[in-house]
Amino acid sequence: NAGVTQTPKFQVLKTGQSMTLQCAQDMNHEYMSWYRQDPGMGLRLIHYSVGAGITDQGEVPNGYNVSRSTTEDFPLRLLSAAPSQTSVYFCASTDRDTDTQYFGPGTRLTVL
Amino acid sequence: GNSVTQMEGPVTLSEEAFLTINCTYTATGYPSLFWYVQYPGEGLQLLLKATKADDKGSNKGFEATYRKETTSFHLEKGSVQVSDSAVYFCALIGSNFGNEKLTFGTGTRLTIIP
């Protein structure tokens, strides 16, 4: 049981490049979410999904896209990277029976 | 909307000292309350939780009591260890049906010195 996995762990992009952050979970959780963590701001919700085929925007969705074709996978796409997207990104899945969120190890992204 | 306010850091304590990290919240209804911990270089993991008023969550020597009258969920530990050095986040989930979105505080960095 791997829990929530994220790849890559580190990434450096140039302004304007695109990339996809991968997230997968093996706990059969319906609810998944993406956060970004910035100093002094805690975690802010980017996008979330309540099940395969259903996604919705969180607090800071601009510049990011998501899709949820399977229960297991929830990739986050940066369409045209900007320096303001330099951050640590965490994926999480939720056990709705206990309201407990399980977090991946994070992806540290730097946009130059 | 929901919000969480927690004690500004960083907090530095000596080993075996008593720890309190304050957390207050604003939410309608009866939210569930959580403390998450983030060790260096890792993701967040659940430390403890409480789902109704006067519940006490506890784990690894940490405790927090859900106080609805003061809208608080302060984290305490009687004797901290160096291994407790981490960032601690207070969070809540609203009581609305189907609302699984966690609202986080800004985090408190704790450093324990030997």
Side-chain angles (χ1 to χ4, degrees):
Chain A
N1 200 337
V4 180
T5 58
Q6 290 183 240
T7 55
K9 283 189 71 66
F10 302 94
Q11 183 70 50
V12 179
L13 294 177
K14 295 180 179 177
T15 297
Q17 287 185 314
S18 62
M19 79 159 296
T20 299
L21 307 185
Q22 300 293 342
C23 173
Q25 54 95 5
D26 61 0
M27 296 173 281
N28 202 32
H29 292 160
E30 294 293 330
Y31 189 91
M32 296 184 72
S33 47
W34 275 101
Y35 296 89
R36 59 177 290 173
Q37 183 180 28
D38 301 294
M41 302 189 75
L43 277 78
R44 292 182 292 170
L45 183 64
I46 304 171
H47 284 286
Y48 66 98
S49 169
V50 299
I54 306 169
T55 63
D56 207 345
Q57 296 181 350
E59 183 185 353
V60 288
N62 292 340
Y64 308 95
N65 272 0
V66 291
S67 61
R68 185 90 180 273
S69 56
T70 66
T71 299
E72 294 76 22
D73 299 302
F74 190 42
L76 178 72
R77 296 184 190 83
L78 280 71
L79 307 173
S80 177
S84 60
Q85 294 179 303
T86 294
S87 187
V88 181
Y89 291 85
F90 289 100
C91 179
S93 72
T94 300
D95 180 344
R96 293 180 66 177
D97 291 335
T98 63
D99 276 341
T100 300
Q101 288 207 354
Y102 295 86
F103 285 81
T107 295
R108 183 174 294 274
L109 174 69
T110 301
V111 182
L112 303 175
Chain B
N2 298 335
S3 66
V4 175
T5 303
Q6 66 179 98
M7 182 174 170
E8 296 263 339
V11 174
T12 302
L13 295 173
S14 297
E15 205 165 20
E16 299 183 3
F18 184 86
L19 168 71
T20 300
I21 301 178
N22 290 337
C23 172
T24 57
Y25 67 90
T26 301
T28 55
Y30 300 88
S32 294
L33 303 174
F34 304 82
W35 277 100
Y36 279 82
V37 58
Q38 184 180 30
Y39 298 105
E42 298 183 11
L44 280 71
Q45 54 186 275
L46 179 67
L47 179 60
L48 54 83
K49 70 175 186 180
T51 57
K52 59 183 187 294
D54 300 323
D55 266 1
K56 178 185 285 187
S58 61
N59 186 24
K60 300 181 181 179
F62 290 89
E63 294 182 339
T65 300
Y66 188 143
R67 301 286 190 201
K68 186 153 181 68
E69 64 275 13
T70 54
T71 61
S72 65
F73 193 54
H74 305 320
L75 183 68
E76 297 181 335
K77 186 174 185 181
S79 177
V80 292
Q81 305 300 313
V82 172
S83 57
D84 294 326
S85 297
V87 182
Y88 292 81
F89 292 91
C90 187
L92 69 82
I93 284 182
S95 57
N96 300 332
F97 176 75
N99 180 5
E100 290 88 354
K101 289 184 278 185
L102 267 177
T103 299
F104 285 93
T106 54
T108 302
R109 182 175 299 278
L110 174 67
T111 302
I112 307 301
I113 53 178

